[in-house]
Amino acid sequence: MTPAADPPQSQFAELAELAGGFIHEFKNHLSTVGLNLQLLAEDFGTAETHRERRALERVQRLQHECDRLVEVSNDFLRFARIRDLDLRPTCLRSVIEELVDFFAPSARQANVTLTTYLPADLPLVSLDADLFKQALLNLMLNAEQAMPQGGELIVQACADNGGVRLDLIDTGLGMTADQAAQVFRPFFTTKPGGTGLGLATTRRIAEAHGGTIEVESDPGRGTKFTVRLPGAE
Ligand code: ADP
Ligand code: MG
């Protein structure tokens, strides 16, 4: 028997649109639920009896669940809604520098030393800068979360086959080979509050640019993600 082929792109787009529409609708109702829970929590704000306090606890648990559903829905929409890219010949170095500036306060707070090696003469890449920043931010957040005691994150770029190769190297917890093989699968997560959609989204963004992403990891030592982007025409 031959293995099943990937569905054609148009089928994927149709499914993504369907799922995106569903989540959008779902979020509308969720926001009504959240609003009413908020009002209920306010009603019980001055809980006096044991019964009222227990009711307040339950309402707060529901609020927490509601927040979580909003978070998963937003991550899901970011994953499903990668469609028409606004591609322009771009200097990747300035895009990364902007993002690094944005990320620096968070890194400092987490005791993460952020080092960049970005040559000035990188070839231009054809980029949707906003979308690509989202992909990079996912990688940087993961790196930070993998270094709960702090550590080092290196972001380095170099010219590669007419395009650019970008490495993000952290000194975090690392992963087993088995975990590393699954990280790009939607909903794969090892974090209590994780959605498991960050890397799936990052890979889709890299591929939508005609690029690739790979991971190498060493448990207890750290992890390296490598993104390759083709050069602009
Ligand atoms: P989430 O961050 O919500 O868990 P992601 O798709 O971003 O989802 O990541 C999936 C999983 O991959 C994480 O839960 C973690 O186990 C692993 N992972 C990702 N990046 C790293 C990293 N830099 N170091 C170690 N593990 C990582
Ligand atoms: Mg993540």
Side-chain angles (χ1 to χ4, degrees):
M1 213 165 78
T2 48
D6 280 342
Q9 198 56 30
S10 64
Q11 252 180 36
F12 181 88
E14 200 176 306
L15 258 179
E17 190 166 333
L18 189 71
F22 173 76
I23 295 289
H24 195 70
E25 178 74 14
F26 177 80
K27 271 188 71 186
N28 281 340
H29 295 286
L30 204 56
S31 113
T32 311
V33 173
L35 211 64
N36 279 281
L37 284 173
Q38 171 79 39
L39 293 172
L40 256 181
E42 280 165 21
D43 283 349
F44 282 109
T46 51
E48 280 162 11
T49 64
H50 176 64
R51 198 155 166 238
E52 283 173 349
R53 276 194 294 275
R54 209 173 49 190
L56 178 62
E57 267 172 36
R58 286 184 177 148
V59 169
Q60 286 168 338
R61 204 172 313 145
L62 287 173
Q63 280 184 302
H64 179 77
E65 289 297 319
C66 225
D67 290 347
R68 170 98 186 120
L69 283 174
V70 171
E71 198 184 321
V72 182
S73 301
N74 287 338
D75 277 4
F76 188 92
L77 283 180
R78 275 192 279 269
F79 174 71
R81 294 232 159 120
I82 300 167
R83 262 172 302 188
D84 305 327
L85 273 59
D86 183 13
L87 295 174
R88 287 148 204 248
T90 309
C91 163
L92 194 60
R93 183 180 179 206
S94 49
V95 171
I96 296 171
E97 277 172 350
E98 272 173 45
L99 192 66
V100 164
D101 281 348
F102 171 78
F103 189 69
S106 162
R108 212 173 302 126
Q109 193 151 36
N111 250 329
V112 170
T113 313
L114 200 55
T115 313
T116 55
Y117 299 103
L118 304 170
D121 56 351
L122 287 175
L124 292 182
V125 288
S126 164
L127 209 69
D128 184 321
D130 285 338
L131 199 60
F132 193 72
K133 277 187 196 168
Q134 193 184 309
L136 278 184
L137 189 62
N138 288 340
L139 294 175
M140 289 167 125
L141 283 172
N142 279 341
E144 185 184 296
Q145 287 160 3
M147 299 186 280
Q149 324 293 347
E152 191 176 7
L153 173 59
I154 299 171
V155 181
Q156 66 184 27
C158 63
D160 174 72
N161 251 329
V164 174
R165 167 194 169 139
L166 185 63
D167 295 310
L168 284 94
I169 304 161
D170 70 57
T171 58
L173 301 168
M175 300 172 249
T176 62
D178 188 45
Q179 279 175 335
Q182 301 189 69
V183 287
F184 297 111
R185 284 178 51 194
F187 302 110
F188 173 81
T189 181
T190 57
K191 299 172 196 167
T195 64
L197 287 168
L199 287 178
T201 304
T202 294
R203 178 161 77 174
R204 284 210 60 210
I205 293 173
E207 288 176 354
H209 283 88
T212 58
I213 181 166
E214 288 163 34
V215 63
E216 273 172 51
S217 193
D218 204 349
R221 297 183 68 101
T223 302
K224 174 165 92 171
F225 282 92
T226 301
V227 179
R228 287 189 176 83
L229 291 172
E233 302 276 276

